[in-house]
Amino acid sequence: MNLFLIQARANRLMNRRLLAAVATLSDADFHAPRTSFFPSLALTLNHVLNVDHYYIAALQGDAAMRGIWASYVPAKTAGELAARQDESDQRLIAFCEGLQPGDEENIVAFDRGAGIENGPREPLGRVLAHVFMHQTHHRGQAHAMLAGTAVKPPQLDDFIMLGDDKHRTADMAALGWAEPV
């Protein structure tokens, strides 16, 4: 069982559901100031995507990760963000699909401004755990911000347990996925 793949697919399903709800907001509501660390849905969700791009580049050994981070252009609309997040989630799923037992101990090198050779190094398993935790953390903030709008925040925690399959049938069908994941 590839637990990282299960998490990557659940991550995509959660992002898909949350961003579909956010996309029903007006552009003004998407950018409206709200209470959170990144004080709008646009800022919070663009932060998530930029961080994803950086970490996926690091996981893939792309030495340009720092430039990828620095050159990020925020999505202006929720629809644009949803499409770009979906592409990123697909890349993460593809990466996790290729993992083999023991790969979680492979070392991932980071460029935090002093070059990849001088940056931190972390086991791949911890990097993926961090990526999923980061996404969950900020999705929670976006979920709370969405609660302050006319759009009902969607359920986001029924994508891993087999017994919750009835709650994700439509999401799975839309992606052409079958149980179990």
Side-chain angles (χ1 to χ4, degrees):
M1 176 184 310
N2 183 337
L3 293 176
F4 294 124
L5 178 57
I6 291 169
Q7 289 179 295
R9 291 183 92 180
N11 186 65
R12 180 167 186 226
L13 288 165
M14 286 181 271
N15 284 334
R16 183 179 182 278
R17 193 178 278 182
L18 178 63
L19 292 171
V22 170
T24 66
L25 295 171
S26 68
D27 288 344
D29 280 338
F30 180 56
H31 290 277
R34 303 192 187 279
T35 302
S36 193
F37 186 77
F38 296 99
S40 75
L41 283 160
L43 290 171
T44 299
L45 296 170
N46 271 293
H47 167 75
V48 168
L49 183 56
N50 193 16
V51 168
D52 281 1
H53 287 171
Y54 174 80
Y55 278 97
I56 292 168
L59 286 163
Q60 294 176 328
D62 187 343
M65 68 188 80
R66 184 93 174 143
I68 290 168
W69 166 265
S71 66
Y72 181 80
V73 176
K76 291 182 173 57
T77 67
E80 176 191 354
L81 181 75
R84 290 171 58 188
Q85 184 66 61
D86 186 58
E87 289 174 11
S88 180
D89 291 346
Q90 287 284 75
R91 287 180 55 216
L92 185 58
I93 289 168
F95 178 82
C96 290
E97 282 175 332
L99 293 175
Q100 299 298 314
D103 284 351
E104 66 275 5
E105 298 302 324
N106 291 349
I107 299 301
V108 178
F110 291 92
D111 180 354
R112 301 280 179 158
I116 203 166
E117 61 282 347
N118 297 315
R121 298 183 181 313
E122 295 284 344
L124 183 144
R126 287 182 178 264
V127 174
L128 283 171
H130 174 75
V131 168
F132 297 130
M133 186 181 301
H134 182 263
Q135 282 251 355
T136 300
H137 168 71
H138 287 298
R139 264 193 308 264
Q141 292 174 334
H143 195 268
M145 285 188 259
L146 194 57
T149 72
V151 176
K152 181 182 177 188
Q155 185 70 26
L156 296 178
D157 64 348
D158 54 7
F159 295 116
I160 293 181
M161 302 295 286
L162 292 174
D164 287 335
D165 62 336
K166 64 184 174 278
H167 301 294
R168 61 179 174 261
T169 303
D171 299 283
M172 297 287 285
L175 293 172
W177 292 355
E179 297 284 355
V181 179

